[in-house]
Amino acid sequence: MATSAYFHIPFCAHICHYCDFNKVFAAGQPIDDYLQAMDKEMEWTAAEFGSHLKTLFIGGGTPTVLEPVQLGRLLESIHKHFQFHPQTAEFTVEANPDGLTKEKLAILRDAGVNRLSIGVQAFDDELLQAIGRTHRRGDAERAVAMAREAGFENISLDLMYGLPGQTLEQFLADLETAFSLHVPHLSAYSLIIEPKTIFYNEWRNGRLRLPGEEAEAVMYEAAMERTVAHGYQQYEISNYAFPGFESQHNLVYWNNEEYYGIGAGAHSYIDGVRRANIGPIRHYIEKVERGEWPHRDVHRLTFREQMEEEMFLGLRKTEGVSKERFRQKFGREMSDMFGEAIRREIENGRLEETATHVRLTKRGKLLGNEVFAAFLGEM
């Protein structure tokens, strides 16, 4: 039985050049019908799998693109179908800096939301324009100030590096600005060129000027060093937090634990089964209105796949994968199942082993995807 739930709002006022998440322009969309379909899926999910939650996360898209009445309606549905303790549950909502208003912040707080994840990406106005963001530096700074005035203490900022034309100096300046805002959590992600994005089309046509892998690695190393110097702890490849402010919801994913996914394109992992919902908005609505689960794909993981996922998800965490947890979960020794891959990656300088864990080295963090791939098809 899962104790975490993700709620997907696929609507945006503007589509960013790098984004490949399931999203559409909000204008002209059947948002009210979509929220009604989500309410029905929540009802079915709670009845089938349980309703008590410890973490909740509303993501997108852009959840704060909803009108205040619609936002209130979504939160009302969540409260109607799920139970969670307002003092102990982590309830996160993603927000764009230019989509937050005092009214929406008050609605979120009144509904028990206690964590905001604000998609800043950069503080350099030219870079923001280049990647298709509609906010500017001042909007981001005002959003953090407004959130604090509304009573939010647990605030996370997303930053990106490896952006087109971005220099190390620009990224360092972005980090310093983020530090000056004294938020307790930072995420710093490298740009990945994904198919079906504006950047992908520009890259294929040779029009996208990227810093290159070496420059990107230098930016990543700078992020690791500067965050630690400012009191943050790196607890996952791309995430840094003051002690006690780690994202509990995201740790559910990296710990390979169970969660519900509600909404178009959302994913669930329950009882060893991964389910992916239909992506197109109207198809999702129609299927729910017919009284059918909106699943596009249902896959029961083999025992082997479950162990592989335990490794490559867990290795994202700075602490790595616990040998004892692996033993308790699967009734096998990690060394028996993945000994050769572990030895090989230790020899390559990308993994290290302690008495209790296997974890990435600094070099391994720079080459994470290559390390993860070493555990696929190993047995």
Side-chain angles (χ1 to χ4, degrees):
M1 182 183 297
T3 58
S4 295
Y6 171 83
F7 307 89
H8 189 68
I9 302 300
F11 308 111
C12 293
H14 181 80
I15 305 298
C16 301
H17 297 351
Y18 54 84
C19 182
D20 73 327
F21 293 133
N22 189 46
K23 79 287 179 189
V24 294
F25 283 112
Q29 292 294 328
I31 296 178
D32 291 328
D33 291 341
Y34 179 78
L35 294 176
Q36 180 60 39
M38 285 187 74
D39 180 88
K40 183 60 67 174
E41 190 186 1
M42 289 183 214
E43 178 186 340
W44 297 343
T45 299
E48 180 81 13
F49 301 111
S51 61
H52 293 274
L53 300 176
K54 293 181 180 178
T55 75
L56 305 87
F57 196 110
I58 303 176
T62 311
T64 50
V65 79
L66 297 179
E67 295 296 328
V69 172
Q70 295 168 332
L71 188 59
R73 184 179 168 193
L74 169 65
L75 294 163
E76 183 180 334
S77 288
I78 292 172
H79 277 274
K80 181 170 64 173
H81 299 299
F82 296 101
Q83 288 79 51
F84 54 94
H85 196 288
Q87 266 69 53
T88 58
E90 179 191 84
F91 194 170
T92 305
V93 172
E94 287 183 341
N96 276 354
D98 53 351
L100 281 174
T101 64
K102 291 183 178 180
E103 182 181 9
K104 291 180 183 180
L105 285 166
I107 291 170
L108 295 175
R109 283 293 293 172
D110 289 345
V113 175
N114 52 26
R115 184 174 184 271
L116 292 178
S117 179
I118 303 177
V120 174
Q121 317 312 353
F123 287 100
D124 184 287
D125 286 353
E126 290 185 6
L127 272 180
L128 286 167
Q129 184 173 0
I131 65 177
R133 299 294 283 174
T134 55
H135 74 271
R136 295 297 177 258
R137 171 178 175 149
D139 298 316
E141 293 171 332
R142 281 189 293 274
V144 172
M146 268 201 310
R148 285 213 171 95
E149 289 172 9
F152 288 94
E153 296 178 2
N154 196 349
I155 301 171
S156 177
L157 301 183
D158 282 357
L159 297 176
M160 296 182 72
Y161 59 92
L163 298 173
Q166 187 180 34
T167 65
L168 175 60
E169 289 71 27
Q170 284 175 310
F171 181 59
L172 292 176
D174 282 349
L175 285 173
E176 292 303 319
T177 301
F179 298 148
S180 73
L181 295 174
H182 304 292
V183 295
H185 190 283
L186 292 173
S187 299
Y189 301 102
S190 65
L191 173 67
I192 298 175
I193 305 300
E194 301 282 6
K196 300 179 182 179
T197 63
I198 294 172
F199 274 168
Y200 180 76
N201 294 332
E202 292 182 357
W203 174 74
R204 286 194 65 185
N205 294 326
R207 297 199 305 266
L208 198 64
R209 185 171 62 87
L210 299 172
E213 290 184 5
E214 186 174 332
E216 189 176 298
V218 172
M219 292 181 193
Y220 180 44
E221 291 184 88
M224 289 191 283
E225 293 168 2
R226 296 297 178 93
T227 48
V228 170
H230 282 80
Y232 295 86
Q233 294 178 357
Q234 183 180 20
Y235 70 101
E236 190 268 347
I237 284 181
S238 303
N239 285 272
Y240 312 83
F242 292 155
F245 285 90
E246 299 83 359
S247 170
Q248 297 306 306
H249 185 84
N250 286 340
L251 280 167
V252 168
Y253 302 143
W254 302 321
N255 285 328
N256 199 23
E257 296 171 353
E258 296 185 337
Y259 54 89
Y260 309 138
I262 309 291
H267 291 245
S268 301
Y269 180 43
I270 309 167
D271 296 331
V273 179
R274 293 202 177 276
R275 297 172 174 87
N277 279 358
I278 294 169
I281 312 303
R282 294 181 189 277
H283 293 176
Y284 169 83
I285 294 171
E286 290 167 2
K287 193 152 189 178
V288 173
E289 286 179 344
R290 291 198 301 267
E292 302 174 17
W293 284 98
H295 301 145
R296 170 182 55 81
D297 181 63
V298 177
H299 174 64
R300 178 168 292 280
L301 272 64
T302 64
F303 191 58
R304 166 182 170 171
E305 288 172 330
Q306 291 179 44
M307 288 189 286
E308 289 175 347
E309 290 196 357
E310 187 79 9
M311 295 303 296
F312 69 72
L313 289 170
L315 284 172
R316 293 191 62 90
K317 297 178 297 177
T318 300
E319 71 176 13
V321 184
S322 164
K323 297 177 185 178
E324 178 60 26
R325 177 184 168 87
F326 189 96
R327 184 186 304 116
Q328 291 180 356
K329 197 168 184 178
F330 302 108
R332 303 285 194 279
E333 295 292 337
M334 187 191 300
S335 58
D336 292 340
M337 310 312 299
F338 297 105
E340 181 56 36
I342 292 170
R343 284 191 292 273
R344 189 166 58 244
E345 291 305 309
I346 289 175
E347 290 175 2
N348 289 336
R350 302 190 293 203
L351 276 187
E352 60 186 10
E353 186 173 5
T354 70
T356 59
H357 288 73
V358 173
R359 64 192 183 197
L360 295 176
T361 62
K362 183 177 180 180
R363 170 176 161 79
K365 291 175 183 176
L366 292 167
L367 301 166
N369 288 336
E370 295 179 24
V371 182
F372 304 152
F375 292 91
L376 297 177
E378 168 68 14
M379 293 170 288

